[in-house]
Amino acid sequence: MIDDLARFLALPGVFDAKPYDATHHDAAWRLVGYDRMMSNECPLPPSPRVLDAARKALEVVNLYPNSGEDVRQATAAFCGAPVESVVLGNGSTEVLDVVTRLLVGHGDETVVAVPTYAFFETQTRLCGGTPVLVPLRDDWSLDTDGLLAAVTPRTKAVFLCSPNNPTGNGWSTGQLEAVLAAGVPTVVDQAYLECGHAESFAPLVASHPNLVVTRTFSKAFGLAALRIGYGVMHPDLADAALRLRIPFSLGLPALWAVAAALEDPADIEARREFISSERDRVFNGLTKLEGVEPYPSEGNFILMNVAASGRTNDEIIRLAHAERILLRAMGSHRLKGTHVRVTIGRTEQNDRFLDLFGRLFA
């Protein structure tokens, strides 16, 4: 049956491509009462203002949503880009998916700086392309020379993430402009931008037509379950993306919630400061432990290497699970064996995590 179906598919290689693995979310929902410190979710629920807006939308969900043009305009003002460059999506993942499908076909290549967000690699393969993986340097800095050397006539896109998941560090304008100089469409996912004080690249799109920046309302805004994000790109590419994107991909509760959130910049900044201060507190605590090497981060997470302790990441995950704390091993991010990532939680969750690690690595 699969053989018969494959001959009708425009992308028969889809059967050989491994999709993005989100099963850890399913597992977390089954473990009620556990500290969810594994999926880079925001520990803070939406503000009452945002929740009220979403509830009002639920009262009229028998109607189709509007196109979200008002949210598109508010988002453009928020990120400092012209409205014609902004594309809303069902999470930034929809925008990344649409852009990848616009650019990548069978036999094409993409260049991906790794370790990073696994979606880049999986979507390239699902579109029939081949991801060319360029490792970050040993200190997790961006190897711009290596990225440029990997570009060939078959390269249709370069994928970056800043702040980078899972390493937590961000790239500079100078580094990005060096990559952009190759003239290849370069996609930079900035999902974690509001979790810290990294540099926004959205304003650079106006002067760099081959730059695409994606951002989300899932992280610091705390709207992950509503699925809404956006991309900033050249108006011509934005027009093409809007043609390819399915209609009504954004629900009314998501649109109204984001509209309310963008009207409250003080709340956004309070979230940024809470996440940043708690992240710094957890990082400082980890630096005092024997056998743990945490890496500085601008996201809402911290990556650490526990190799010097003699423990494996699987062992750490099991011990944390026994105390109702969910952490993430980094095998899906091409870091195997000794790397663990913790998401910054509420103050009391961070306290429990630090207490656990203080006992494990005393």
Side-chain angles (χ1 to χ4, degrees), residues 72-360:
R72 187 185 181 200
Q73 293 176 358
T75 300
F78 172 72
C79 70
V83 67
E84 60 269 20
S85 290
V86 174
V87 176
L88 300 178
N90 190 267
S92 56
T93 48
E94 184 187 22
V95 180
L96 287 166
D97 171 62
V98 168
V99 169
T100 306
R101 287 191 285 132
L102 280 171
L103 298 175
V104 181
H106 181 72
D108 292 331
E109 294 178 348
T110 65
V111 174
V112 186
V114 292
T116 194
Y117 185 28
F119 194 75
F120 303 150
E121 182 178 346
T122 58
Q123 292 311 108
T124 296
R125 295 189 187 280
L126 288 170
C127 288
T130 300
V132 177
L133 309 181
V134 178
L136 301 178
R137 295 191 175 96
D138 290 343
D139 62 355
W140 303 136
S141 62
L142 191 65
D143 183 1
T144 54
D145 291 338
L147 289 170
L148 293 171
V151 172
T152 74
R154 298 171 63 185
T155 305
K156 293 300 182 69
V158 176
F159 285 108
L160 303 172
C161 183
S162 181
N164 186 47
N165 176 25
T167 60
N169 52 328
W171 318 130
S172 68
T173 295
Q175 290 173 313
L176 178 57
E177 288 182 329
V179 176
L180 289 168
V184 175
T186 300
V187 182
V188 185
D189 181 31
Q190 295 209 279
Y192 299 96
L193 189 66
E194 290 82 19
C195 296
H197 301 277
E199 191 172 359
S200 170
F201 298 136
L204 294 178
V205 172
S207 56
H208 296 81
N210 59 321
L211 173 62
V212 176
V213 175
T214 58
R215 288 165 66 173
T216 187
F217 296 104
S218 295
K219 302 302 180 183
F221 283 82
L223 301 176
L226 289 182
R227 310 308 305 131
I228 181 166
Y230 61 98
V232 183
M233 62 198 76
H234 187 276
D236 290 348
L237 184 60
D239 179 71
L242 290 169
R243 293 169 187 266
L244 185 59
R245 199 194 82 184
I246 64 171
F248 304 121
S249 69
L250 296 173
L252 197 65
L255 289 170
W256 285 15
V258 166
L262 290 173
E263 291 173 352
D264 192 0
D267 181 65
I268 299 169
E269 290 308 309
R271 290 166 172 274
R272 187 197 308 271
E273 292 308 316
F274 174 83
I275 293 169
S276 296
S277 62
E278 281 295 292
R279 180 191 62 233
D280 292 346
R281 183 172 74 90
V282 172
F283 177 82
N284 289 334
L286 290 172
T287 61
K288 300 173 184 176
L289 302 179
E290 291 290 333
V292 179
E293 182 184 5
Y295 302 103
S297 173
E298 283 288 346
N300 64 339
F301 56 86
I302 296 171
L303 176 70
M304 68 198 87
N305 188 347
V306 297
S309 71
R311 298 180 184 270
T312 66
N313 53 13
D314 287 339
E315 181 183 4
I316 298 301
I317 301 300
R318 288 196 302 271
L319 291 169
H321 187 278
E323 300 210 17
R324 303 172 72 86
I325 296 174
L326 303 179
L327 303 176
R328 187 85 181 272
M330 290 287 97
S332 63
H333 291 72
R334 297 185 172 275
L335 290 175
K336 298 182 179 181
T338 60
H339 288 83
V340 177
R341 190 188 67 197
V342 59
T343 300
I344 302 305
R346 301 186 305 274
T347 301
E348 62 273 18
Q349 292 175 321
N350 299 330
D351 287 343
R352 284 193 289 271
F353 165 76
L354 287 173
D355 175 70
L356 169 65
F357 265 50
R359 288 182 277 117
L360 291 179

